[in-house]
Amino acid sequence: MATHAPEMPIQVDDETGVWTTDALPMLYVPRHFFVNNHIGIEEVLGAEAYAEILYKAGYKSAWHWCEKEAECHGMSGAAVFEHYMKRLSQRGWGLFETQKLDLETGYAEVKLKHSAFVYVYGKCGRKVDYMFTGWFSGAIDQILAAAGSPIRTVTVQEYGGSEEGHDEGLFVVKPL
């Protein structure tokens, strides 16, 4: 397996120890730590209830991230979304590829390969990447709002790499 150093800027504040990439503070945690916490919460709440909570929280977080990154880098429109997909991929969540992006209608398709969740859950017969759904709508909606569009979206995962017959996931963003 070939490897390379991180492709995103990481700065560590000498006084506080806070890690920063671009305009936002970051946390660096082991995948097993994060996913084990995810599994623990899912076991208590159930996947459906937890997915609903994560959708709302992820939406809000993606909106904030895109707003701050657009400002930091002087970007707008599709460039913000592509930057978001690039950074998500660079941070180890998986490899996100925009298959379709139509900001005029609020429609997008995102393919996910090598999901951090699928690596832990394996072929469990259900979608396990639901954490990402709110992220895509939050990102698209922030970009649309910044452009003055009234369109808002919802994201669903069509299938995941954790399901038989699929080696990757597909997320579809549609206007409400």
Side-chain angles (χ1 to χ4, degrees):
M1 168 173 73
T3 64
H4 63 277
E7 296 174 352
M8 60 186 167
I10 299 169
Q11 296 181 337
V12 182
D13 184 289
D14 290 335
E15 186 176 314
T16 64
V18 172
W19 289 40
T20 304
T21 293
D22 299 328
L24 296 168
M26 307 294 286
L27 298 175
Y28 183 61
V29 299
R31 179 175 61 201
H32 74 272
F33 171 83
F34 186 89
V35 177
N36 285 339
N37 279 277
H38 179 88
I39 290 169
I41 296 167
E42 186 179 77
E43 287 172 351
V44 172
L45 298 179
E48 191 173 309
Y50 190 36
E52 189 175 322
I53 292 166
L54 288 175
Y55 191 98
K56 292 174 186 174
Y59 180 99
K60 181 179 179 180
S61 296
W63 183 296
H64 178 78
W65 191 95
C66 288
E67 187 173 56
K68 294 299 180 189
E69 288 293 295
E71 182 181 303
C72 177
H73 297 291
M75 296 184 292
S76 63
V80 176
F81 193 74
E82 290 305 326
H83 179 63
Y84 189 44
M85 295 301 102
K86 179 181 177 181
R87 285 294 194 247
L88 290 176
S89 297
Q90 291 173 327
R91 293 192 336 239
W93 293 107
L95 299 179
F96 295 86
E97 296 176 10
T98 305
Q99 302 295 292
K100 295 180 183 175
L101 178 61
D102 183 350
L103 294 174
E104 295 292 317
T105 64
Y107 183 86
E109 293 181 8
V110 177
K111 184 185 290 186
L112 171 58
K113 297 179 181 178
H114 306 288
S115 162
F117 292 101
V118 173
Y119 276 136
V120 176
Y121 280 86
K123 290 284 186 195
C124 65
R126 65 181 179 92
K127 296 171 190 72
V128 297
D129 301 310
Y130 52 84
M131 174 177 251
F132 303 130
T133 56
W135 297 9
F136 302 128
S137 282
I140 296 284
D141 288 4
Q142 188 283 322
I143 294 163
L144 291 171
S149 172
I151 296 171
R152 295 300 175 263
T153 65
V154 64
T155 301
V156 296
Q157 184 177 12
E158 293 294 322
Y159 53 83
S162 55
E163 297 176 291
E164 291 302 322
H166 299 285
D167 292 326
E168 58 207 25
L170 179 67
F171 297 84
V172 177
V173 182
K174 299 177 185 177
L176 290 172

